[in-house]
Amino acid sequence: MTMTDKALALKEAQKVVAWIEKDSLTDAEKKQIHDESIENFNENVNPGWLEYRKSVSTDAAFIEWTDSVDHFEDLNGTQFIDCLGGFGIYTCGHRNPEILKTVQAQLSRYALHSQELVDPLRGYLAKITALATPGDLQYCFFTNGGAEAVEMALKLARLATGGRWYISTVGAFHGKSMGAISMGGKGAYREDYVPMIQQVQHVEYGNAADMEKAIKNLQTVGEKVAGVIIEPIQGEAGVAIPPVGYLKDVRAICDKYGVAMIVDEIQTGMGRTGTLWRCEAEDVCPDIMTYGKAFGGGIMPITGIIARPKMWVDKLIDNPWILGSPTFGGNPLACAAAISTFKYMLENDIPGLCKKRGEYFLEKLGELHKKYPTVLTEFRGAGLLICMEFPEAEVGYAVTKELFARHVMTAGTLVNAKTVRIEPPAVLSDESVAKVISSLDEALAAVKEEFKL
């Protein structure tokens, strides 16, 4: 970088900071931000990013600028009802006032920690998480993103069991770091990175017998399995809900063969599916559980794992850093957000609200399915993790664009819009729910006519 580049960088930073700190923008500033944002993404983020976006119109004119409760706004103040929920992070809403107040109070005290002294909030959050999770789950390790939490879970399973193999499922999504993507069950995410972790077998999701056979065969030929990793509902695969009893069967199989059961609750947990944790629906306690997304209340990024005492072996106690040492993992701001999120969720029964809202959405989707059976071919969900299915991806894309034109945001999975998720905040107002349903009715009618379905 030349001195000239540094001068330009300073000038650019000064300009943007001034905009952030302003109470309002002029029309000229809004246009400048819009035009420069498009250019910045194309020149300095990824030239394919804007073209790849599929939840909005092909016109990349909408610049997110502020948000509140159940909606966000663009630069010009146009409001969009959020039925995507940041893929699950906004269960408590956008900028939830109670959670935001807690984080602002902590920010006024200290934001990050010295790394050497005891940070009390991390300990309090670990205790609260242990109290709020099933069975004897006790020891926490906090991270920054979902894939990082999965990496810690995979490493802990090896430390605790001495095994080297993992069993995952077809269609699974656990993140995109090398360990996490090795567990992933979608070829589109994996094929560019093979070979990766080699000791992974994928079995059919929802088929406990298939899983037992894989473990038994490995152990028969002298291979030791460290862990099974499953989502209680596969979100990225299109809200795939396994048969009732599947989690209990997997728990029994893991106990039988001495394998760690890792349940990935990053998307399904924190109330999203109608119980605080989805594994509670089958009264199952995993050996290791991951959490994230809504864990930070839609205010701060924080993820992590919690494990049963038997998993915290002497090697880990003797060397606490052997599992990992993320600089920002469990930082005070993030912990304050998560503690306040637990307080808000439990005081307001957010899991119960998700269940109630979800049942209403499914009822209305049933009516729309009868009305437009050639467009909305299938629907399913638990709580506010809901999926609509269409005849092909192009139809799904068209529905999301019609919804966005009516100021409702939703999206397909990351690689496909044949299935489109409805994953809104639990605090979606009755008025917003009604608007979403009426907008979906209009969108389905428009797409039916467009595709002559």
Side-chain angles (χ1 to χ4, degrees):
M1 180 178 283
T2 67
M3 290 301 292
T4 305
D5 290 333
K6 290 178 181 176
L8 289 173
L10 173 59
K11 184 177 180 182
E12 192 77 358
Q14 290 170 332
K15 176 185 73 177
V16 178
V17 167
W19 284 337
I20 293 171
E21 294 179 352
K22 285 186 72 171
D23 291 331
S24 61
L25 300 169
T26 66
D27 289 342
E29 287 171 331
K30 291 175 184 177
K31 185 178 187 310
Q32 185 178 358
I33 291 171
H34 168 274
D35 294 346
E36 290 179 352
S37 295
I38 302 303
E39 181 182 352
N40 291 341
F41 265 77
N42 285 328
E43 295 297 322
N44 298 107
V45 179
N46 185 330
W49 185 259
L50 296 178
E51 185 178 347
Y52 187 75
R53 289 161 76 229
K54 49 187 176 287
S55 56
V56 301
S57 69
T58 49
D59 173 13
F62 297 97
I63 308 296
E64 190 170 347
W65 193 247
T66 188
D67 65 356
S68 180
V69 189
D70 63 359
H71 67 272
F72 61 90
E73 298 180 14
D74 72 1
L75 272 171
N76 298 311
T78 306
Q79 290 190 2
F80 297 85
I81 298 172
D82 182 11
C83 267
L84 176 60
F87 300 114
I89 64 176
Y90 289 117
T91 305
C92 292
H94 292 251
R95 280 192 302 130
N96 181 293
E98 294 185 33
I99 301 169
L100 185 61
K101 179 183 176 182
T102 305
V103 174
Q104 288 173 331
Q106 180 58 36
L107 182 61
S108 297
R109 185 169 291 109
Y110 68 110
L112 300 177
H113 53 300
S114 69
Q115 309 290 333
E116 187 62 23
L117 302 180
V118 173
D119 172 36
L121 298 189
R122 191 186 313 191
Y124 281 119
L125 177 58
K127 179 180 181 179
I128 292 166
T129 305
L131 290 170
T133 47
D136 62 345
L137 289 169
Q138 180 175 348
Y139 290 107
C140 290
F141 187 97
F142 299 118
T143 48
N144 305 282
E148 188 182 12
V150 168
E151 296 287 346
M152 297 304 113
L154 298 174
K155 291 167 70 178
L156 181 57
R158 283 193 171 185
L159 282 171
T161 67
R164 288 295 177 262
W165 282 81
Y166 301 98
I167 309 297
S168 186
T169 56
V170 175
F173 181 78
H174 298 290
K176 298 196 190 81
S177 56
M178 285 299 281
I181 207 169
S182 299
M183 306 299 134
K186 281 193 173 184
Y189 292 142
R190 293 167 48 88
E191 56 196 13
D192 288 323
Y193 301 107
V194 294
M196 39 187 117
I197 293 179
Q198 295 297 287
Q199 294 110 320
V200 184
Q201 280 197 15
H202 292 80
V203 299
E204 181 185 7
Y205 183 68
N207 186 336
D210 204 15
M211 183 170 288
E212 180 168 16
K213 183 178 179 181
I215 296 172
K216 182 179 179 180
N217 286 347
L218 282 168
Q219 292 196 351
T220 299
V221 299
E223 301 286 359
K224 186 167 173 54
V225 179
V228 161
I229 182 167
I230 55 171
E231 299 159 271
I233 295 174
Q234 287 188 335
E236 176 63 20
V239 191
I241 303 174
V244 174
Y246 176 60
L247 291 184
K248 280 202 170 206
D249 289 343
V250 173
R251 174 71 275 176
I253 291 165
C254 289
D255 289 339
K256 179 178 178 180
Y257 293 95
V259 172
M261 182 183 185
I262 304 168
V263 172
D264 186 345
E265 291 262 17
I266 288 171
Q267 185 163 195
T268 55
M270 293 302 281
R272 171 59 59 181
T273 57
T275 49
L276 192 57
W277 312 101
R278 179 62 184 178
C279 61
E280 287 182 308
E282 289 198 19
D283 194 26
V284 166
C285 176
D287 296 306
I288 306 169
M289 189 173 80
T290 65
Y291 44 81
K293 292 195 182 293
F295 195 71
I299 303 288
M300 292 294 297
I302 179 170
T303 64
I305 66 172
I306 186 167
R308 300 172 72 182
K310 69 175 185 178
M311 305 302 291
W312 233 256
V313 292
D314 289 342
K315 182 180 288 188
L316 186 52
I317 294 171
D318 293 340
N319 181 4
W321 303 114
I322 195 171
L323 187 59
S325 54
T327 302
F328 302 110
N331 68 74
L333 283 181
C335 287
I339 291 167
S340 191
T341 300
F342 270 120
K343 175 178 177 291
Y344 181 84
M345 272 199 174
L346 297 174
E347 283 179 345
N348 295 280
D349 188 20
I350 294 302
L353 189 55
C354 285
K355 185 176 187 296
K356 180 181 177 182
R357 281 271 191 259
E359 288 170 348
Y360 182 77
F361 266 109
L362 290 173
E363 177 188 338
K364 293 301 177 182
L365 286 174
E367 295 172 6
L368 292 172
H369 171 60
K370 290 179 181 177
K371 190 174 181 180
Y372 306 103
T374 57
V375 188
L376 179 58
T377 57
E378 192 179 333
F379 64 95
R380 56 190 169 270
L384 284 174
L385 181 59
I386 297 170
C387 166
M388 300 181 291
E389 194 159 314
F390 302 98
E392 53 186 300
E394 288 72 17
V395 176
Y397 287 137
V399 171
T400 60
K401 288 175 182 178
E402 289 288 345
L403 282 170
F404 194 78
R406 292 164 176 78
H407 298 170
V408 175
M409 164 68 90
T410 187
T413 62
L414 290 178
V415 295
N416 196 349
K418 188 175 186 293
T419 55
V420 171
R421 277 178 284 196
I422 296 176
E423 204 168 345
V427 293
L428 204 65
S429 69
D430 291 341
E431 181 183 10
S432 293
V433 172
K435 173 70 167 21
V436 170
I437 298 300
S438 64
S439 297
L440 181 57
D441 193 340
E442 294 172 6
L444 292 171
V447 171
K448 180 182 179 181
E449 182 175 346
E450 178 187 350
F451 286 82
K452 309 301 181 189
L453 293 169

